[in-house]
Amino acid sequence: MAYGHKTEYRLRMRAQVVLHAARGRSNARIARETRLHLDTVRTWRGRFAEHGLSGLSDRERTGRLTSTFPNAVMVHTSVHASWTNQIEIFFSIVQRKVVSPNDFTDLGEIRDRLRAFEDRYNATAQPFQWKFTTSDLDDLLARLDRHTADHPEESSVALAA
């Protein structure tokens, strides 16, 4: 487990900490040799001492996020999307539903409108549903290829020339 290439990196590192400790090495030396933080070495060495091999497993998360934000839902972001896309979508919604039309008389009015929107949005927020699949991407690229072949004068290569 400590040196297996198919073993997850984090598990390999935890096993290496235990092996170095079994050889009588100090926490500071283990941290230097494994390039882990000293506190990390202390944590995994202590958990192994207390619980054995099962102590090297990840503990269950405390759920602080859900107690602080009760309507927060952890969702997997699609491969073709990122957290930046999520932010851009949210700000697009704010632009359409709050900022436009730009008829504010002062900053206080903007603040009030944004806070009112935030309260409404947080009460009803749902994860964005991603509908764009890899086959949709393949179809889009094929259409673009066909269009470029049918209209070479509109292609980006022709426009650059």
Side-chain angles (χ1 to χ4, degrees):
M1 180 163 114
Y3 300 101
H5 293 292
K6 293 188 177 185
T7 304
E8 271 187 72
Y9 174 78
R10 62 193 170 96
L11 296 177
R12 263 196 336 261
M13 296 311 295
R14 294 170 191 175
Q16 285 183 18
V17 167
V18 171
L19 289 174
H20 286 303
R23 293 182 184 125
R25 295 187 176 137
S26 69
N27 288 345
R29 182 174 175 191
I30 296 170
R32 269 193 320 274
E33 291 179 1
T34 59
R35 295 186 175 142
L36 294 172
H37 193 277
L38 182 59
D39 291 339
T40 303
V41 171
R42 283 188 191 122
T43 296
W44 294 116
R45 200 170 172 176
R47 287 187 188 176
F48 181 77
E50 189 174 336
H51 302 287
L53 197 56
S54 64
L56 298 181
S57 299
D58 284 333
R59 291 183 177 171
E60 212 167 296
R61 302 292 179 192
T62 62
R64 278 183 282 165
L65 178 69
T66 55
S67 63
T68 306
F69 302 100
N71 66 337
V73 178
M74 301 303 287
V75 295
H76 179 269
T77 306
S78 303
V79 177
H80 60 276
S82 70
W83 64 270
T84 307
N85 296 119
Q86 300 276 328
I87 293 168
E88 289 171 347
I89 291 169
F90 177 76
F91 281 120
S92 172
I93 293 168
V94 169
Q95 173 67 38
R96 286 189 322 261
K97 297 191 179 236
V98 180
V99 179
S100 294
N102 188 359
D103 59 353
F104 303 105
T105 56
D106 61 15
L107 291 177
E109 189 178 346
I110 296 170
R111 182 194 62 233
D112 294 343
R113 196 181 293 182
L114 283 169
R115 288 206 172 130
F117 171 78
E118 178 185 16
D119 292 340
R120 281 192 319 272
Y121 190 85
N122 285 338
T124 61
Q126 294 289 319
F128 296 116
Q129 297 299 315
W130 298 103
K131 297 177 182 161
F132 196 83
T133 66
T134 54
S135 59
D136 293 333
L137 177 62
D138 291 339
D139 293 343
L140 174 64
L141 292 174
R143 282 196 323 268
L144 289 172
D145 285 342
R146 282 193 306 275
H147 180 78
T148 303
D150 294 343
H151 302 92
E153 69 281 356
E154 294 179 18
S155 76
S156 58
V157 175
L159 292 174

